[in-house]
Amino acid sequence: MHVQFANIVVFCVVGALFVILNVSVVSRILRPTVRDPEKYETYECGEPAIGSAWIRFDMRFYTIALVFVIFAVEVAFMYPWALVFKQLSAVGPFVFIEMVVFLLILAVGFIYAWAKGDLEWVRSIASQRGGPEGRSGSNPGNQTDSSERKNAA
Amino acid sequence: MLAATKQLDTKAFAEFVSGVGDSVAGFWPEIVLGITLCAVLLYDLVLSRERSKNTAYMAFGGTLLSLALVFMLPSEPRSLFSGMLALDSFSTFFKAVILIGTLVTVALTQLDKENIGARLGEYYGILLAAVLGMMLMASSTNMIMIYLAVELASLSSYVIVAHRRQSRIGSEASLKYAIYGSVASALMLYGISLLFGMTGSLSVMGLADLGIRMATDVGFGIAVGLVLAGLAYKMAAFPMHFWVPDVYQGAPTAVTAFLSVASKTAAFAILLRFMASLDPGSATGIKMADGGLFLDWTSILAVAAAVTMTLGNLAALFQTNIKRMLGYSSIAHAGYILMGVAALEVSDYAGFKAVAFYLLVYLFTNLGAFAVVIVVSNQVKSEEIEAYKGLGTRMWLPALLLTIFLFSLIGMPPTAGFTGKFLLFRAAIDKGLYWLAIMGGINTAVSVYYYMRILKFMYLEDSAEKTPYPAPCLLGKVLTVGLALPVLLLFFLGAAAGWTKNLSLLG
């Protein structure tokens, strides 16, 4: 009775077989065998991996990633808008105004990140050691850490 | 692709645009709040932080304007932004409650300024973002809109809880809040996606038909249960209550006060709207295959209410920190309010009236209690209950006012807490939930112990030191007295109960 699910079963089986065959059989036959220590590195791009990945990352990576996401989403919204802009702008300025409002709100966030110095990758050591109130919110993670370390010491 | 774009119906789009134009007229409170939010952030950025008091005025003014606009909203119920939001007296009431809570929170923050620390501009910006999310929660009728609103309110709350950057306990609270919160919101989103899969519609109003059609389906029960779990997190109800004590203790007191009333109010607004469309009064619920009722929503909510209040009250008995105690008391109150939701009867709105009125009363009572906690800790420098020894003679006005607020939390006349609890119990009894009303009664009796313990410390026990503390500052006096007045007046003003009677729900 569940004939319509047969497609899915076949799909799953074929998919699993495809992966298993390719990874374990086909690649074994086709690949060249080069016994080179560099082949056993985590990243084969010339950058030697040092130490474990379980370390504390600089707060700035996350900030930059967040700022990037904001702009990625912005562009994702603007593509469909640009596609229909010409036809729909015949109705009135609404289409334009709507996007301007959206961009203005994003701009507030952008200006905020910029003015707080989150876009500068290289910063003076002084601003990082300025203590909790040294520079307004320029790098919350590091400041808290450094001040807590100071307290502990 | 090009052919598809050529066929765009510009006429339908013109109608859509005019619909948006009409919707904006009912959206001004939120727009004003959004503009204030951006203005506060930019002002704080451009001008120096020494003028952080100005950001408080800006936040206060923007919220006040928003509140005035809420009262000027057109009264006839209608749908905004093609079914995303509802403009009805129900949402207007809850928006007003949230905004009043925000006004008091801004004032409380100024009172608690030394404790909260610098960067008040950012603090107010985040606070207003949370308020915006909660106002959207109060009016959303689309499930994605509900999710977005809950997330906006939640994410802002996580940040603002950790506003005291140097406070380890605050960071711990924020981290716990964020991790538990993301689990809760994931559960809720999963529930929403299941509901969407069943109906193909995201409208909350569409649930009513679905509830009847799919009532035999266990999957439907699971989906609704998941959404309810996400909401239970925001209103601090069992089984999603465990974040409350840590967060309430770790957050700045003004933020605790804000979360305990505004967040709860907004979550109950969604819950009421959600349950009203499921219509628990008409014996819907998870049915068995033969059509017999396995579990109906009323009993599920009633059990959740009973467990929530019992848990909150029992845990509150052993607390030594007043903020933690008020946290458990807030769980218990979520239980009492859930009692009203369990007694929800769409036909006569008795449960609605009781819940709405209780939330209004709870707003003033709990904000008042936290205001006194701030006033006391400004002088005594402690939030332990032990520190309240002999306060009746050393700080007579805050002690007296705290007595009023605690009486209202217990539900004793002549305070509004009595009227609120009376309405909730009557709603439960009218519905035939006698066992729930008895549970509520027993719980109230238990709660008397830990509220009265504070009174005992304040009036019956003497501290070593006898000299009175200096009188609280003007803002402290105005705030605490100003919050005590409605707590007393709402008891005498039967009219207020009549005001909430006319709440109507869109759809």
Side-chain angles (χ1 to χ4, degrees):
Chain A
M1 59 184 282
H2 294 297
V3 180
Q4 65 267 45
F5 288 112
N7 292 337
I8 299 173
V9 172
V10 170
F11 187 82
C12 288
V13 170
V14 170
L17 283 180
F18 183 80
V19 172
I20 294 168
L21 284 180
N22 273 319
V23 170
S24 57
V25 183
V26 180
S27 70
R28 230 172 257 271
I29 299 166
L30 292 182
R31 76 183 178 202
T33 41
V34 184
R35 301 275 173 217
D36 189 21
E38 277 174 13
K39 291 298 279 188
Y40 295 96
E41 289 283 314
T42 312
Y43 298 106
E44 213 189 323
C45 55
E47 191 71 40
I50 304 168
S52 148
W54 290 91
I55 53 164
R56 197 186 284 184
F57 283 98
D58 195 323
M59 198 63 191
R60 282 178 290 177
F61 286 110
Y62 301 101
T63 323
I64 295 284
L66 279 177
V67 173
F68 167 75
V69 167
I70 291 169
F71 287 106
V73 171
E74 175 184 4
V75 170
F77 276 127
M78 282 181 83
Y79 264 116
W81 171 80
L83 201 62
V84 297
F85 180 74
K86 205 168 179 185
Q87 280 111 29
L88 292 187
S89 59
V91 174
F94 173 80
V95 183
F96 182 68
I97 293 171
E98 203 176 29
M99 187 48 80
V100 168
V101 170
F102 176 62
L103 289 181
L104 276 180
I105 294 172
L106 270 179
V108 171
F110 179 60
I111 293 170
Y112 189 80
W114 196 351
K116 288 285 182 190
D118 284 325
L119 299 183
E120 294 165 44
W121 191 257
V122 181
R123 292 219 207 90
S124 68
I125 310 253
S127 78
Q128 291 216 6
R129 291 209 178 139
E133 302 304 324
R135 237 182 106 189
S136 60
S138 55
N139 197 338
N142 269 5
Q143 280 181 3
T144 318
D145 291 340
S146 61
S147 65
E148 277 181 4
R149 248 176 258 134
K150 250 183 263 164
N151 291 341
Chain B
M1 194 68 195
L2 266 179
T5 52
K6 285 248 166 61
Q7 284 164 8
L8 267 175
D9 191 348
T10 47
K11 203 175 163 200
F13 184 73
E15 275 170 27
F16 169 75
V17 169
S18 75
V20 170
D22 291 341
S23 301
V24 165
F27 198 60
W28 276 112
E30 283 89 344
I31 292 176
V32 165
L33 215 57
I35 294 174
T36 317
L37 193 169
C38 294
V40 166
L41 279 181
L42 288 179
Y43 178 90
D44 182 57
L45 208 60
V46 176
L47 296 169
S48 69
R49 282 177 297 140
E50 283 80 66
R51 299 182 204 169
S52 69
K53 196 158 192 177
N54 288 355
T55 55
Y57 291 134
M58 283 167 80
F60 194 84
T63 315
L64 200 62
L65 183 59
S66 181
L67 183 62
L69 287 168
V70 162
F71 283 118
M72 287 195 294
L73 283 177
S75 55
E76 76 276 15
R78 65 195 173 94
S79 178
L80 300 182
F81 297 112
S82 28
M84 286 290 161
L85 303 174
L87 177 65
D88 45 21
S89 57
F90 176 83
S91 66
T92 310
F93 174 82
F94 282 102
K95 280 180 195 170
V97 171
I98 292 165
L99 285 171
I100 294 170
T102 312
L103 286 179
V104 178
T105 306
V106 172
L108 283 180
T109 306
Q110 284 303 310
L111 198 62
D112 197 21
K113 202 165 45 180
E114 282 150 39
N115 194 17
I116 290 179
R119 299 178 301 129
L120 274 181
E122 283 174 28
Y123 172 94
Y124 286 121
I126 299 165
L127 179 74
L128 290 180
V131 176
L132 187 61
M134 286 166 191
M135 284 175 73
L136 291 174
M137 276 164 85
S139 56
S140 310
T141 50
N142 181 292
M143 281 188 271
I144 288 297
M145 198 62 221
I146 288 179
Y147 179 73
L148 279 179
V150 169
E151 281 304 284
L152 178 57
S154 304
L155 290 175
S156 318
S157 310
Y158 306 151
V159 177
I160 207 170
V161 163
H163 191 77
R164 285 183 297 179
R165 215 159 54 189
Q166 303 306 314
S167 157
R168 274 167 185 272
I169 184 172
S171 308
E172 184 193 330
S174 172
L175 193 65
K176 279 185 180 167
Y177 196 18
I179 290 174
Y180 294 150
S182 50
V183 172
S185 82
L187 290 181
M188 185 167 155
L189 195 59
Y190 187 40
I192 289 174
S193 72
L194 288 177
L195 287 177
F196 177 65
M198 289 167 194
T199 51
S201 150
L202 283 165
S203 171
V204 172
M205 277 88 130
L207 282 175
D209 305 332
L210 183 73
I212 294 158
R213 229 168 0 99
M214 304 281 292
T216 52
D217 196 322
V218 176
F220 179 71
I222 293 173
V224 173
L226 286 170
V227 175
L228 293 188
L231 291 179
Y233 183 80
K234 292 304 286 174
M235 59 203 175
F238 176 84
M240 309 294 277
H241 61 277
F242 32 72
W243 57 276
V244 175
D246 287 325
V247 171
Y248 276 33
Q249 190 182 0
T253 314
V255 175
T256 309
F258 175 71
L259 289 182
S260 71
V261 294
S263 179
K264 203 185 280 284
T265 305
F268 270 105
I270 295 188
L271 182 71
L272 283 178
R273 204 181 276 283
F274 200 75
M275 291 320 290
S277 43
L278 285 175
D279 195 7
S282 60
T284 54
I286 307 170
K287 288 185 186 164
M288 290 188 290
D290 62 354
L293 207 58
F294 173 58
L295 262 180
D296 59 317
W297 298 124
T298 304
S299 348
I300 292 174
L301 285 172
V303 169
V307 176
T308 305
M309 62 174 98
T310 312
L311 239 155
N313 277 324
L314 290 183
L317 291 177
F318 308 106
Q319 300 308 316
T320 54
N321 180 295
I322 190 158
K323 275 164 79 180
R324 221 175 157 79
M325 191 216 84
L326 284 171
Y328 280 111
S329 130
S330 153
I331 298 175
H333 278 87
Y336 299 135
I337 302 171
L338 268 179
M339 200 159 75
V341 182
L344 197 61
E345 197 87 52
V346 176
S347 47
D348 70 347
Y349 287 96
F352 273 106
K353 195 169 75 172
V355 170
F357 184 73
Y358 200 84
L359 282 167
L360 182 70
V361 170
Y362 189 67
L363 170 85
F364 292 116
T365 310
N366 225 27
L367 284 178
F370 278 113
V372 174
V373 170
I374 293 177
V375 166
V376 171
S377 85
N378 276 350
Q379 301 284 351
V380 185
K381 308 285 177 212
S382 170
E383 282 154 1
E384 297 300 311
I385 295 177
E386 289 277 324
Y388 284 68
K389 267 185 186 168
L391 217 63
T393 49
R394 300 182 71 191
M395 252 175 139
W396 69 272
L397 182 65
L400 178 70
L401 294 172
L402 186 58
T403 311
I404 294 174
F405 295 131
L406 292 180
F407 268 43
S408 183
L409 284 175
I410 297 171
M412 272 205 236
T415 56
F418 172 77
T419 322
K421 265 207 182 131
F422 175 76
L423 288 175
L424 285 177
F425 278 72
R426 204 185 58 183
I429 289 170
D430 285 350
K431 185 73 193 273
L433 293 165
Y434 298 110
W435 67 271
L436 187 60
I438 292 169
M439 280 295 287
I442 295 172
N443 266 291
T444 306
V446 170
S447 76
V448 170
Y449 169 75
Y450 60 85
Y451 291 126
M452 281 298 177
R453 203 160 69 100
I454 299 178
L455 295 188
K456 189 193 85 172
F457 272 121
M458 287 199 303
Y459 288 107
L460 298 182
E461 298 209 0
D462 282 333
S463 58
E465 192 78 23
K466 289 274 193 298
T467 45
Y469 284 107
C473 62
L474 182 67
L475 181 64
K477 272 188 208 160
V478 170
L479 253 183
T480 44
V481 174
L483 286 168
L485 283 181
V487 171
L488 293 174
L489 284 179
L490 281 176
F491 174 72
F492 295 107
L493 250 64
W499 178 41
T500 57
K501 187 164 57 188
N502 302 324
L503 289 188
S504 64
L505 207 63
L506 183 71

